[in-house]
Amino acid sequence: MCGIVGYIGEKQATNILIDGLSKLEYRGYDSAGVAIINNNKLNVRKFKGRLSVLEEDLRQNEIQGNIGIGHTRWATHGEPSDVNSHPHTNCTNDIAVIHNGIIENYMKIKKWLEEVSDVTFKSETDTEVIAHLIDYFYEGDLVDAVYKAVEKMEGAYAIGVVCKKEPDKIVAVRKDSPLIVGIGKGENFLASDIPALLKYTREVYLIENDEFVVLTKEDIKIFNEFRQEVKRDVFKVTWDVESAEKDGYEHFMIKEINEQPKGTKETLQRRLDDNGDIYLDGIKITKEDLENINKVYIVACGTAYHAGLVGRSIIEKYARISVEVDIASEFRYRNPIIDEHTLFIAVSQSGETLDTLAALREAKKHGARILSLVNVVGSSVARESHDVFYTWAGPEIAVASTKAFTTQLMAFNMIALHMGLTKGTLTKERYTNLIGRLKELPNKIQTLLDQYELIQEVADKQFNNEKVFFMGRGIDVEIAKEGSLKLKEISYINSFAIAAGELKHGTIALIEDETFVIALATQDRLYEKMLSNIKEVKARGAHVLAIAKENNEEIEKIADKVIYIPETEDELTAILSVIPLQLLSYYIAVARGCDVDKPRNLAKSVTVE
Ligand code: F6R
């Protein structure tokens, strides 16, 4: 999820690159850099941190030049640092490369390059191998060298390359990562996304998979993988910058909700080895370590805490280890019992939440092993953990967390299955079967997203209802809590969630005519009990939206409206049942005219106590 920009023309390249990158910072923002060619010199400047760090440096030490490439990074391989930032260069500093995506076989290429050349690698990134690979094949023709390099690469990428020996061109290539070319007069542009170029041109070529582009000042040529030139119609952009950044969605939140099939799929697929078994790259916990652990604490805040609540059920079920879940701000101050037999799992999208970080430090001080589930690579929580599972949801911009949550749930499933198999509490057969069920989830999420109109209808009827309760049993209680948090934070409705069995111990007193109750009834073994709870609130006049597994039609006789989630194991329903609740909160907030992406009083990253 990085942003890439390129410029060739008569103007100063840095200004255009920085401006373009500023429109792409939403794609990733942990470091930024540029490479500019001028007077037979390739100048590279790159820094960890926001784009402003690079900007400030360029203000103080300008780089002249009319051709260059720029990058804003969302770290995947190697933590955010100056050296891991893009552009990356070959050893002699002739060739510079920017890259968005992942080169899956980069370790293999790296080893091969070390065998066949004198290359020295400076960074931990997959991108750097591309620069050395192009250098290896370079015999005076940059386009030819890029073609040969790409033949060796597997994975997803959009790449921009400049070479000081050929200062009249930028070469770019795309496979599974977005890439566009902006058409100018006496100048041309490259970018991973339209917003970067809208200030300069509204005429673009949309580059397709396996296509190569050669940009000069006067010309743009597109070639297919067989080196044949292809003709492309000009795409005229009619959107404004704001909506373009959101891929045409009205808000980041709904864009991110719709990114969940992709996010959960990537979290899973990239960690399955050739045999289809789970391979946890950042986690080094052995069978002995697991046998040594007698207590797991999962600690987090907000939505991440709700993911932890679901994680508890899964870990206890598959790995048979006792798990406690705590809110980070509480954990720190309650003097918990921690020693070297404790596994502490921190869950955090940003990896910068101060309470989570402080709880982690407290646990570490008492000898616990620290495993974190984090979305932002190289964040503080990740850096201070012994083991890290990156959720790879991509940057989450909307304050209300959605795609980070479902990827956290996927992560917990994978960790629990891995622990269960390693400990022997799960048979290989059951483990393989459950991985198969996990693989089905991204498509099932998509099925639910496709039914958004059903949810929109409910939202349109209920958006003015100021009394909303969520209830469920088992894992459904945790999703009820998440649904309630999502609703209150973006629509400001005073909602709350309750374990359905607790209703008659007090809360049922609040149910009256037209109270809106969202009842989750996805757990097979608790289904009948949920039907009784729904009857109880119906008898007091509630309007009930039920979420149930498909093929359970008798619930339609009791609830006012039912949304069905596709069939899956009880332990896996959470990833599905949260989707209609996210959509419901979103459409209710939109109907109430709320600022969905930036709700009042809230911040994306809570770095204060
Ligand atoms: C709710 C939400 C927050 C965060 C919480 C923790 O939609 O986004 O509740 O989940 O602030 O943040 P991270 O996961 O960054 O530690």
Side-chain angles (χ1 to χ4, degrees), residues 222-260:
I222 306 173
F223 301 94
N224 65 18
E225 58 190 312
F226 309 109
R227 304 192 185 208
Q228 294 152 336
E229 193 173 343
V230 289
K231 289 276 158 247
R232 178 68 28 86
D233 290 339
V234 173
F235 179 81
K236 291 203 186 336
V237 183
T238 52
W239 330 311
D240 57 22
V241 177
E242 259 275 281
S243 65
E245 279 174 6
K246 293 175 191 144
D247 277 352
Y249 288 103
E250 203 181 332
H251 299 101
F252 279 111
M253 183 178 175
I254 189 69
K255 173 175 180 264
E256 287 160 9
I257 288 175
N258 276 286
E259 283 171 348
Q260 293 178 106

Side-chain angles (χ1 to χ4, degrees), residues 300-306 347-354 356 373 381 396 398-402 404 408 482 485-486 489-490 602-606:
C301 305
T303 288
Y305 165 73
H306 297 149
V347 191
S348 177
Q349 186 286 128
S350 62
E352 300 297 345
T353 303
L354 191 69
T356 308
L373 269 64
V381 170
E396 199 178 56
V399 164
S401 186
T402 53
Q408 283 158 359
E482 174 55 11
L485 176 66
K486 217 77 316 163
E489 68 176 324
I490 59 169
L602 294 175
K604 186 66 189 158
S605 184
V606 186

Side-chain angles (χ1 to χ4, degrees), residues 64-115:
Q64 304 289 320
N66 317 111
I67 162 171
I69 51 179
H71 188 268
T72 170
R73 181 169 184 244
W74 169 260
T76 55
H77 292 64
E79 62 173 27
S81 66
D82 292 354
V83 74
N84 285 337
S85 311
H86 300 211
H88 288 280
T89 55
N90 61 334
C91 295
T92 47
N93 223 26
D94 303 320
I95 297 167
V97 175
I98 48 174
H99 165 219
N100 170 28
I102 292 181
I103 306 301
E104 283 161 7
N105 62 338
Y106 84 103
M107 286 303 290
K108 209 164 126 193
I109 299 177
K110 200 167 174 178
K111 228 170 121 217
W112 177 77
L113 280 170
E114 279 164 344
E115 278 161 25

